[in-house]
Amino acid sequence: EGTDVSAVSLDAKQAKITVFRVPDKPGISSMLFTALGKENINVDVIVQNVSKDNFADISFTVNITDAEKTLKITKELGKEVMAENVVCDRDIAKISIIGIGMMNHPGVAGRMFHALGKERINIEMISTSEIKISCVIKKSDGAKALKTVHAEFIES
Amino acid sequence: EGTDVSAVSLDAKQAKITVFRVPDKPGISSMLFTALGKENINVDVIVQNVSKDNFADISFTVNITDAEKTLKITKELGKEVMAENVVCDRDIAKISIIGIGMMNHPGVAGRMFHALGKERINIEMISTSEIKISCVIKKSDGAKALKTVHAEFIES
Ligand SMILES: C[C@@H](O)[C@H](N)C(=O)O
Ligand SMILES: C[C@@H](O)[C@H](N)C(=O)O
């Protein structure tokens, strides 16, 4: 069928941090992630969507063992940039499909989202590159997500 | 210096589409991207951040030559899911750094964002995977972004 998805993976050991309503102007992301880098915090997914009324939300995931330290640091950074709020959500899992040239196959993303949607799994965050589509979902949906996405791409 | 960034790339031939305020419930992303797939539209980056008050915004990029057709289709889909609005922005470029195991190097993201921020380049969207960090910026910032990020990672 020409799909190039070679692997499906689930990471249930992450936590997500969201910095709500930071000013959408140059230098903000730099300040945030330079500071996290200095604290040696490994950041996995970073997601920022387009801003509305000049404010943006920035979310990122870290290993759950770093969640507490990361939240503490990010709250302080959030104050400096006058973010509205900084929250941490440990109740997540990240389901990903990995493949070559996936983004040149229209419909691959749709198939992944369909596999999740038909099991009533809510997609909380989406981040992509040519070789990987990752969705953040509720932790308790992790096993079901792995099963349905694996069935869609690997077993068919 | 141990950085694993092997390439910097600029794509100035993309347009971004944002579907504002879709219900954050299972099946919505599936419906949107399955339909786009059926129309053979190649989607590159997809970004969705966490929702607020049960609504989420979904943005994605396509080749600028597909922008008009994509906007038309997405507007119709947007009506079906009762999105608040669907907009297309052709005034973008996507700057990316590519490398191996980047996400295990705290600070790589910060360095990229710093390279952009110090040139007063505003980051409109962020999407990442272990091997790629992509930022959507204004098209007119493209050349400057390539120069500064290249200087940060390839020339140093
Ligand atoms: C929101 C944040 O990404 C900001 N636009 C920046 O460039 O740093
Ligand atoms: C917003 C959209 O991603 C929705 N949460 C879904 O699962 O389809």
Side-chain angles (χ1 to χ4, degrees):
Chain A
E1 211 205 44
T3 183
D4 294 334
V5 175
S6 56
V8 179
S9 72
L10 180 76
D11 187 339
K13 299 207 181 95
Q14 297 202 347
K16 79 164 132 79
I17 310 271
T18 301
V19 190
F20 285 102
R21 279 180 77 75
V22 294
D24 184 21
K25 55 178 194 182
I28 302 289
S29 290
S30 164
M31 180 257 195
L32 212 60
F33 290 95
T34 298
L36 291 172
K38 288 209 169 85
E39 299 278 349
N40 261 314
I41 291 168
N42 272 321
V43 170
D44 182 23
V45 176
I46 302 171
V47 164
Q48 176 196 319
N49 207 338
V50 298
S51 69
K52 292 192 279 212
D53 59 33
N54 298 316
F55 288 90
D57 304 329
I58 304 175
S59 293
F60 58 95
T61 65
V62 295
N63 201 298
I64 203 165
T65 52
D66 286 334
E68 198 170 331
K69 170 184 180 186
T70 305
L71 179 61
K72 182 162 177 291
I73 294 163
T74 311
K75 275 189 180 285
E76 287 162 33
L77 296 166
K79 285 207 193 85
E80 283 183 57
V81 301
M82 310 216 283
E84 182 181 82
N85 202 5
V86 176
V87 301
C88 176
D89 181 2
R90 286 173 177 80
D91 183 23
I92 62 157
K94 186 183 75 164
I95 179 88
S96 307
I97 57 175
I98 295 136
I100 309 294
M102 280 197 310
M103 288 299 165
N104 289 326
H105 282 90
V108 173
R111 284 174 62 196
M112 180 185 188
F113 303 154
H114 177 71
L116 296 170
K118 75 180 203 281
E119 299 297 328
R120 313 316 298 155
I121 296 168
N122 196 46
I123 300 167
E124 301 180 352
M125 272 166 69
I126 302 169
S127 188
T128 63
S129 71
E130 289 90 346
I131 69 155
K132 194 169 191 174
I133 301 177
S134 289
C135 294
V136 168
I137 58 176
K138 253 161 63 82
K139 190 176 266 178
S140 55
D141 283 335
K144 189 166 49 164
L146 185 59
K147 191 158 183 273
T148 181
V149 176
H150 194 267
E152 172 63 32
F153 287 107
I154 309 293
E155 295 158 34
S156 47
Chain B
E1 213 205 44
T3 182
D4 294 333
V5 174
S6 56
V8 179
S9 73
L10 180 76
D11 187 339
K13 299 206 180 96
Q14 297 202 347
K16 78 163 132 80
I17 309 273
T18 301
V19 190
F20 285 102
R21 278 179 77 74
V22 294
D24 184 21
K25 55 178 193 180
I28 302 288
S29 289
S30 164
M31 179 257 196
L32 212 61
F33 290 95
T34 298
L36 291 171
K38 287 208 168 87
E39 300 278 350
N40 261 314
I41 291 169
N42 272 322
V43 170
D44 183 23
V45 176
I46 302 171
V47 164
Q48 177 196 319
N49 207 338
V50 299
S51 69
K52 293 192 276 210
D53 58 33
N54 298 317
F55 287 90
D57 304 329
I58 304 175
S59 293
F60 58 95
T61 65
V62 296
N63 200 299
I64 203 164
T65 51
D66 286 334
E68 197 170 333
K69 171 184 181 188
T70 306
L71 179 61
K72 182 163 179 291
I73 293 162
T74 311
K75 277 192 179 281
E76 287 163 30
L77 296 165
K79 285 207 194 85
E80 281 183 58
V81 301
M82 310 216 283
E84 183 180 81
N85 201 6
V86 177
V87 302
C88 177
D89 181 2
R90 286 173 178 81
D91 184 23
I92 62 157
K94 186 183 74 164
I95 179 87
S96 306
I97 57 174
I98 295 135
I100 308 296
M102 280 197 309
M103 287 299 163
N104 289 325
H105 281 90
V108 172
R111 286 174 60 196
M112 180 185 187
F113 303 154
H114 177 72
L116 296 170
K118 76 182 202 279
E119 299 297 327
R120 312 317 297 154
I121 296 168
N122 196 45
I123 300 166
E124 302 181 352
M125 274 167 68
I126 302 170
S127 188
T128 63
S129 71
E130 289 90 344
I131 70 155
K132 194 169 192 174
I133 301 178
S134 289
C135 294
V136 168
I137 58 176
K138 251 160 64 82
K139 189 177 265 176
S140 55
D141 283 336
K144 189 165 51 165
L146 186 59
K147 190 157 183 271
T148 182
V149 177
H150 194 268
E152 173 63 33
F153 287 107
I154 309 294
E155 295 160 30
S156 49

